[in-house]
Amino acid sequence: MKWDANLYDNNHSFVSKYGEDLINVLGPAPGEIILDIGSGSGDLADLIVKRNVKVIGIDNSREMVEAARNKYPHIQFDIGSASNFSYDIKFDAVFSNATLHWVPDYEKAITCIGNALKTGGRFVAEFGGKGNVSNITDALKFQLISKGYTAVAESPLWYFPSLSEYTTLLEQKGFRVTFAAHFDRETLLKGDDGMKNWLIMFGKSYLEKLELNVAEEIINRVENQLRATNFKNGNWYADYVRLRFVAIKV
Ligand code: BEZ
């Protein structure tokens, strides 16, 4: 899937905004070397660098990496997969915001991250937890099935684990989990077309399997269906549920 870095920055800047709070949980100490997995257009990597640390950003989207390199030429951004990467150096911390739900090989990702960290290094991340955007995915599946696109509706898309599932994996792979939380974060989607824009941006992997006119019809139907649950006082909201944790490599 190709990412449109401009659309991402213009309409979905909330992704980086919430990430700023996660940087405080990361607590970068001057002189540390930190890996940002899923660095996107580079905004959070740049904020982390401002704490006097060295950051390497890695992202599997060429478009995003190019956009990040243009915006922040002083930072190293690499194209790479969260579940298949290695560096010659060991990091003090691995940081990741709103990325790990896109990684189908989530167990391999935890293994790679463990290998990349120094002993005592921390893995601080947030991504979609169990129940994330369930109103949206239920509506999308319902509309796809009602139009006969059952195979598309059933294709796996995101990984939204429960707190116990993910922290158990972390422990099995050599981490000590010192903090974990699973919480709701209803998220404002800017503008009258907020939900449509979200579906176009993030539902692309589903929708690009359809003819353009069918995709447009599905988007309209999903938006109509979601009006009852996700449109409040004139604004669209995504029913985000987050999983946030701090895990130490033992
Ligand atoms: C999320 O950040 O929770 C998310 C983003 C895009 C698609 C699905 C989930």
Side-chain angles (χ1 to χ4, degrees):
M1 179 176 116
K2 282 196 168 182
W3 283 95
D4 181 333
N6 285 328
L7 188 66
Y8 189 84
D9 272 359
N10 293 340
N11 288 333
H12 302 101
S13 54
F14 62 81
V15 177
S16 297
K17 278 264 154 298
Y18 286 122
E20 290 177 32
D21 186 35
L22 191 63
I23 294 176
N24 292 327
V25 178
L26 172 70
E32 285 190 327
I33 306 180
I34 295 173
L35 180 67
D36 177 8
I37 295 187
S39 45
S41 53
D43 295 350
L44 293 179
D46 183 56
L47 284 179
I48 302 172
V49 162
K50 292 197 165 79
R51 308 272 189 112
N52 295 321
V53 298
K54 178 178 160 66
V55 175
I56 296 178
I58 178 171
D59 201 293
N60 71 354
S61 157
R62 175 175 299 277
E63 293 77 21
M64 283 296 196
V65 166
E66 279 169 7
R69 285 176 183 160
N70 286 335
K71 260 168 111 175
Y72 306 110
H74 55 291
I75 302 176
Q76 177 180 337
F77 291 102
D78 299 328
I79 300 170
S81 155
S83 54
N84 186 15
F85 72 88
S86 66
Y87 284 92
D88 291 339
I89 50 167
K90 297 278 182 201
F91 293 88
D92 295 294
V94 170
F95 173 87
S96 182
N97 181 53
T99 295
L100 295 171
H101 44 249
W102 293 103
V103 182
D105 277 334
Y106 47 87
E107 294 201 32
K108 274 174 81 183
I110 300 174
T111 303
C112 276
I113 291 163
N115 291 340
L117 280 168
K118 292 176 182 167
T119 300
R122 56 214 193 277
F123 175 22
V124 177
E126 184 177 305
F127 65 107
K130 188 172 179 172
N132 192 37
V133 293
S134 57
N135 290 342
I136 301 178
T137 49
D138 287 354
L140 199 49
K141 284 182 184 170
F142 179 83
Q143 295 301 340
L144 284 165
I145 289 169
S146 69
K147 295 288 288 178
Y149 296 97
T150 310
V152 179
E154 285 170 359
S155 57
L157 198 46
W158 299 303
Y159 171 59
F160 299 140
S162 70
L163 185 146
S164 60
E165 178 183 336
Y166 202 76
T167 54
T168 301
L169 282 177
L170 288 167
E171 287 173 352
Q172 284 169 350
K173 293 195 174 285
F175 286 93
R176 182 167 71 96
V177 180
T178 55
F179 167 81
H182 180 253
F183 56 96
D184 295 332
R185 186 196 284 138
E186 200 164 64
T187 297
L188 175 71
L189 304 176
K190 277 193 294 180
D192 293 346
D193 286 333
M195 183 54 74
K196 274 191 182 151
N197 287 336
W198 191 96
L199 288 165
I200 292 166
M201 180 88 195
F202 295 123
K204 213 170 167 176
S205 323
Y206 263 127
L207 298 168
E208 68 189 3
K209 294 174 186 147
L210 309 170
E211 297 288 326
L212 192 60
N213 63 323
V214 177
E216 277 168 5
E217 191 189 341
I218 296 283
I219 288 173
N220 286 333
R221 284 169 171 249
V222 170
E223 187 196 48
N224 270 339
Q225 185 176 335
L226 288 171
R227 208 164 276 281
T229 49
N230 291 51
F231 190 72
K232 295 169 201 168
N233 303 319
N235 288 309
W236 283 105
Y237 292 88
D239 45 326
Y240 276 20
V241 178
R242 312 321 274 169
L243 183 60
R244 175 184 279 202
F245 60 86
V246 177
I248 309 296
K249 180 179 169 174
V250 183

PDB file of all heavy atoms in Angstrom, residues 15 98 101-102 127-128 132-133 158 160 198 202 240-242, ligand 1:
ATOM      1  N   VAL A  15      -2.206  11.820  14.942  1.00  0.00           N
ATOM      2  CA  VAL A  15      -1.393  10.630  15.223  1.00  0.00           C
ATOM      3  C   VAL A  15      -0.106  11.068  15.926  1.00  0.00           C
ATOM      4  O   VAL A  15       0.288  10.509  16.947  1.00  0.00           O
ATOM      5  CB  VAL A  15      -1.078   9.855  13.919  1.00  0.00           C
ATOM      6  CG1 VAL A  15      -0.182   8.656  14.206  1.00  0.00           C
ATOM      7  CG2 VAL A  15      -2.368   9.393  13.236  1.00  0.00           C
ATOM      8  N   ALA A  98       1.557   4.142  17.142  1.00  0.00           N
ATOM      9  CA  ALA A  98       0.519   3.900  16.118  1.00  0.00           C
ATOM     10  C   ALA A  98       1.034   3.126  14.909  1.00  0.00           C
ATOM     11  O   ALA A  98       0.690   3.454  13.768  1.00  0.00           O
ATOM     12  CB  ALA A  98      -0.107   5.237  15.687  1.00  0.00           C
ATOM     13  N   HIS A 101       0.040  -2.176  15.044  1.00  0.00           N
ATOM     14  CA  HIS A 101      -1.173  -2.867  14.555  1.00  0.00           C
ATOM     15  C   HIS A 101      -1.088  -3.162  13.048  1.00  0.00           C
ATOM     16  O   HIS A 101      -1.906  -3.900  12.519  1.00  0.00           O
ATOM     17  CB  HIS A 101      -2.446  -2.076  14.872  1.00  0.00           C
ATOM     18  CG  HIS A 101      -2.363  -0.615  14.620  1.00  0.00           C
ATOM     19  ND1 HIS A 101      -2.373   0.322  15.617  1.00  0.00           N
ATOM     20  CD2 HIS A 101      -2.234   0.077  13.462  1.00  0.00           C
ATOM     21  CE1 HIS A 101      -2.260   1.519  15.103  1.00  0.00           C
ATOM     22  NE2 HIS A 101      -2.189   1.404  13.789  1.00  0.00           N
ATOM     23  N   TRP A 102      -0.122  -2.547  12.359  1.00  0.00           N
ATOM     24  CA  TRP A 102       0.048  -2.801  10.920  1.00  0.00           C
ATOM     25  C   TRP A 102       0.964  -3.980  10.641  1.00  0.00           C
ATOM     26  O   TRP A 102       1.208  -4.311   9.474  1.00  0.00           O
ATOM     27  CB  TRP A 102       0.669  -1.576  10.235  1.00  0.00           C
ATOM     28  CG  TRP A 102      -0.202  -0.362  10.191  1.00  0.00           C
ATOM     29  CD1 TRP A 102      -0.101   0.741  10.985  1.00  0.00           C
ATOM     30  CD2 TRP A 102      -1.293  -0.107   9.287  1.00  0.00           C
ATOM     31  NE1 TRP A 102      -1.069   1.663  10.636  1.00  0.00           N
ATOM     32  CE2 TRP A 102      -1.810   1.164   9.599  1.00  0.00           C
ATOM     33  CE3 TRP A 102      -1.878  -0.844   8.246  1.00  0.00           C
ATOM     34  CZ2 TRP A 102      -2.890   1.727   8.919  1.00  0.00           C
ATOM     35  CZ3 TRP A 102      -2.948  -0.279   7.569  1.00  0.00           C
ATOM     36  CH2 TRP A 102      -3.445   0.983   7.907  1.00  0.00           C
ATOM     37  N   PHE A 127      -0.236   1.394  20.470  1.00  0.00           N
ATOM     38  CA  PHE A 127      -0.905   1.069  19.200  1.00  0.00           C
ATOM     39  C   PHE A 127      -2.334   0.638  19.501  1.00  0.00           C
ATOM     40  O   PHE A 127      -2.782   0.701  20.646  1.00  0.00           O
ATOM     41  CB  PHE A 127      -0.096   0.025  18.406  1.00  0.00           C
ATOM     42  CG  PHE A 127       0.048  -1.350  19.021  1.00  0.00           C
ATOM     43  CD1 PHE A 127      -0.654  -2.425  18.492  1.00  0.00           C
ATOM     44  CD2 PHE A 127       0.900  -1.580  20.089  1.00  0.00           C
ATOM     45  CE1 PHE A 127      -0.516  -3.702  19.020  1.00  0.00           C
ATOM     46  CE2 PHE A 127       1.059  -2.854  20.619  1.00  0.00           C
ATOM     47  CZ  PHE A 127       0.348  -3.906  20.092  1.00  0.00           C
ATOM     48  N   GLY A 128      -3.058   0.213  18.459  1.00  0.00           N
ATOM     49  CA  GLY A 128      -4.458  -0.141  18.654  1.00  0.00           C
ATOM     50  C   GLY A 128      -4.594  -1.416  19.467  1.00  0.00           C
ATOM     51  O   GLY A 128      -4.012  -2.444  19.124  1.00  0.00           O
ATOM     52  N   ASN A 132     -10.252  -1.826  19.143  1.00  0.00           N
ATOM     53  CA  ASN A 132      -9.950  -0.569  18.444  1.00  0.00           C
ATOM     54  C   ASN A 132     -10.804  -0.429  17.184  1.00  0.00           C
ATOM     55  O   ASN A 132     -10.985  -1.411  16.441  1.00  0.00           O
ATOM     56  CB  ASN A 132      -8.461  -0.550  18.066  1.00  0.00           C
ATOM     57  CG  ASN A 132      -7.995   0.817  17.609  1.00  0.00           C
ATOM     58  OD1 ASN A 132      -8.424   1.844  18.139  1.00  0.00           O
ATOM     59  ND2 ASN A 132      -7.121   0.852  16.626  1.00  0.00           N
ATOM     60  N   VAL A 133     -11.316   0.762  16.965  1.00  0.00           N
ATOM     61  CA  VAL A 133     -12.165   1.124  15.803  1.00  0.00           C
ATOM     62  C   VAL A 133     -13.188   0.032  15.455  1.00  0.00           C
ATOM     63  O   VAL A 133     -13.478  -0.207  14.274  1.00  0.00           O
ATOM     64  CB  VAL A 133     -11.313   1.519  14.551  1.00  0.00           C
ATOM     65  CG1 VAL A 133     -10.570   2.804  14.784  1.00  0.00           C
ATOM     66  CG2 VAL A 133     -10.329   0.435  14.100  1.00  0.00           C
ATOM     67  N   TRP A 158      -5.741  -5.611  10.519  1.00  0.00           N
ATOM     68  CA  TRP A 158      -4.945  -5.043  11.607  1.00  0.00           C
ATOM     69  C   TRP A 158      -4.859  -6.016  12.773  1.00  0.00           C
ATOM     70  O   TRP A 158      -5.699  -6.889  12.932  1.00  0.00           O
ATOM     71  CB  TRP A 158      -5.590  -3.731  12.083  1.00  0.00           C
ATOM     72  CG  TRP A 158      -5.676  -2.694  11.021  1.00  0.00           C
ATOM     73  CD1 TRP A 158      -4.641  -2.176  10.300  1.00  0.00           C
ATOM     74  CD2 TRP A 158      -6.865  -2.041  10.529  1.00  0.00           C
ATOM     75  NE1 TRP A 158      -5.106  -1.234   9.410  1.00  0.00           N
ATOM     76  CE2 TRP A 158      -6.451  -1.124   9.525  1.00  0.00           C
ATOM     77  CE3 TRP A 158      -8.221  -2.123  10.836  1.00  0.00           C
ATOM     78  CZ2 TRP A 158      -7.367  -0.321   8.835  1.00  0.00           C
ATOM     79  CZ3 TRP A 158      -9.119  -1.327  10.158  1.00  0.00           C
ATOM     80  CH2 TRP A 158      -8.696  -0.435   9.163  1.00  0.00           C
ATOM     81  N   PHE A 160      -5.021  -6.069  16.706  1.00  0.00           N
ATOM     82  CA  PHE A 160      -5.413  -5.304  17.895  1.00  0.00           C
ATOM     83  C   PHE A 160      -5.493  -6.262  19.091  1.00  0.00           C
ATOM     84  O   PHE A 160      -6.575  -6.759  19.426  1.00  0.00           O
ATOM     85  CB  PHE A 160      -6.789  -4.642  17.687  1.00  0.00           C
ATOM     86  CG  PHE A 160      -6.869  -3.646  16.552  1.00  0.00           C
ATOM     87  CD1 PHE A 160      -7.986  -3.607  15.729  1.00  0.00           C
ATOM     88  CD2 PHE A 160      -5.855  -2.713  16.339  1.00  0.00           C
ATOM     89  CE1 PHE A 160      -8.095  -2.678  14.701  1.00  0.00           C
ATOM     90  CE2 PHE A 160      -5.952  -1.780  15.309  1.00  0.00           C
ATOM     91  CZ  PHE A 160      -7.068  -1.766  14.484  1.00  0.00           C
ATOM     92  N   TRP A 198     -10.796   9.412   6.812  1.00  0.00           N
ATOM     93  CA  TRP A 198     -10.154   8.341   7.598  1.00  0.00           C
ATOM     94  C   TRP A 198     -10.252   7.024   6.835  1.00  0.00           C
ATOM     95  O   TRP A 198      -9.274   6.278   6.722  1.00  0.00           O
ATOM     96  CB  TRP A 198     -10.827   8.220   8.980  1.00  0.00           C
ATOM     97  CG  TRP A 198     -10.061   7.328   9.924  1.00  0.00           C
ATOM     98  CD1 TRP A 198      -9.162   7.724  10.861  1.00  0.00           C
ATOM     99  CD2 TRP A 198     -10.113   5.882   9.998  1.00  0.00           C
ATOM    100  NE1 TRP A 198      -8.641   6.624  11.516  1.00  0.00           N
ATOM    101  CE2 TRP A 198      -9.210   5.483  11.015  1.00  0.00           C
ATOM    102  CE3 TRP A 198     -10.833   4.909   9.325  1.00  0.00           C
ATOM    103  CZ2 TRP A 198      -9.006   4.153  11.361  1.00  0.00           C
ATOM    104  CZ3 TRP A 198     -10.617   3.566   9.666  1.00  0.00           C
ATOM    105  CH2 TRP A 198      -9.718   3.202  10.675  1.00  0.00           C
ATOM    106  N   PHE A 202      -6.958   5.116   5.807  1.00  0.00           N
ATOM    107  CA  PHE A 202      -6.561   3.928   6.556  1.00  0.00           C
ATOM    108  C   PHE A 202      -7.255   2.642   6.086  1.00  0.00           C
ATOM    109  O   PHE A 202      -6.813   1.550   6.427  1.00  0.00           O
ATOM    110  CB  PHE A 202      -6.796   4.141   8.048  1.00  0.00           C
ATOM    111  CG  PHE A 202      -5.934   5.223   8.633  1.00  0.00           C
ATOM    112  CD1 PHE A 202      -6.500   6.314   9.276  1.00  0.00           C
ATOM    113  CD2 PHE A 202      -4.562   5.168   8.538  1.00  0.00           C
ATOM    114  CE1 PHE A 202      -5.701   7.323   9.813  1.00  0.00           C
ATOM    115  CE2 PHE A 202      -3.753   6.165   9.071  1.00  0.00           C
ATOM    116  CZ  PHE A 202      -4.329   7.245   9.709  1.00  0.00           C
ATOM    117  N   TYR A 240     -11.182   4.989  18.898  1.00  0.00           N
ATOM    118  CA  TYR A 240      -9.855   4.414  19.146  1.00  0.00           C
ATOM    119  C   TYR A 240      -9.780   3.807  20.552  1.00  0.00           C
ATOM    120  O   TYR A 240     -10.311   4.362  21.507  1.00  0.00           O
ATOM    121  CB  TYR A 240      -8.766   5.504  19.042  1.00  0.00           C
ATOM    122  CG  TYR A 240      -8.288   5.771  17.626  1.00  0.00           C
ATOM    123  CD1 TYR A 240      -9.033   5.410  16.526  1.00  0.00           C
ATOM    124  CD2 TYR A 240      -7.073   6.405  17.396  1.00  0.00           C
ATOM    125  CE1 TYR A 240      -8.581   5.651  15.233  1.00  0.00           C
ATOM    126  CE2 TYR A 240      -6.612   6.657  16.112  1.00  0.00           C
ATOM    127  CZ  TYR A 240      -7.379   6.271  15.032  1.00  0.00           C
ATOM    128  OH  TYR A 240      -6.924   6.518  13.763  1.00  0.00           O
ATOM    129  N   VAL A 241      -9.102   2.676  20.631  1.00  0.00           N
ATOM    130  CA  VAL A 241      -8.775   2.039  21.914  1.00  0.00           C
ATOM    131  C   VAL A 241      -7.269   1.782  21.847  1.00  0.00           C
ATOM    132  O   VAL A 241      -6.785   1.193  20.876  1.00  0.00           O
ATOM    133  CB  VAL A 241      -9.525   0.701  22.097  1.00  0.00           C
ATOM    134  CG1 VAL A 241      -9.133   0.050  23.414  1.00  0.00           C
ATOM    135  CG2 VAL A 241     -11.036   0.899  22.026  1.00  0.00           C
ATOM    136  N   ARG A 242      -6.541   2.256  22.828  1.00  0.00           N
ATOM    137  CA  ARG A 242      -5.078   2.131  22.758  1.00  0.00           C
ATOM    138  C   ARG A 242      -4.530   1.100  23.730  1.00  0.00           C
ATOM    139  O   ARG A 242      -5.108   0.868  24.801  1.00  0.00           O
ATOM    140  CB  ARG A 242      -4.375   3.477  23.069  1.00  0.00           C
ATOM    141  CG  ARG A 242      -4.893   4.670  22.363  1.00  0.00           C
ATOM    142  CD  ARG A 242      -5.268   4.419  20.943  1.00  0.00           C
ATOM    143  NE  ARG A 242      -4.193   4.539  19.967  1.00  0.00           N
ATOM    144  CZ  ARG A 242      -4.321   4.137  18.694  1.00  0.00           C
ATOM    145  NH1 ARG A 242      -5.426   3.571  18.266  1.00  0.00           N
ATOM    146  NH2 ARG A 242      -3.328   4.280  17.853  1.00  0.00           N
TER     147      ARG A 242
HETATM  148  C1  BEZ B   1      -4.945   3.299  14.848  1.00  0.00           C
HETATM  149  O1  BEZ B   1      -4.057   4.145  14.997  1.00  0.00           O
HETATM  150  O2  BEZ B   1      -5.529   2.808  15.803  1.00  0.00           O
HETATM  151  C2  BEZ B   1      -5.335   2.840  13.507  1.00  0.00           C
HETATM  152  C3  BEZ B   1      -4.952   3.568  12.421  1.00  0.00           C
HETATM  153  C4  BEZ B   1      -5.293   3.114  11.195  1.00  0.00           C
HETATM  154  C5  BEZ B   1      -6.001   1.966  11.036  1.00  0.00           C
HETATM  155  C6  BEZ B   1      -6.380   1.260  12.114  1.00  0.00           C
HETATM  156  C7  BEZ B   1      -6.037   1.704  13.356  1.00  0.00           C
END
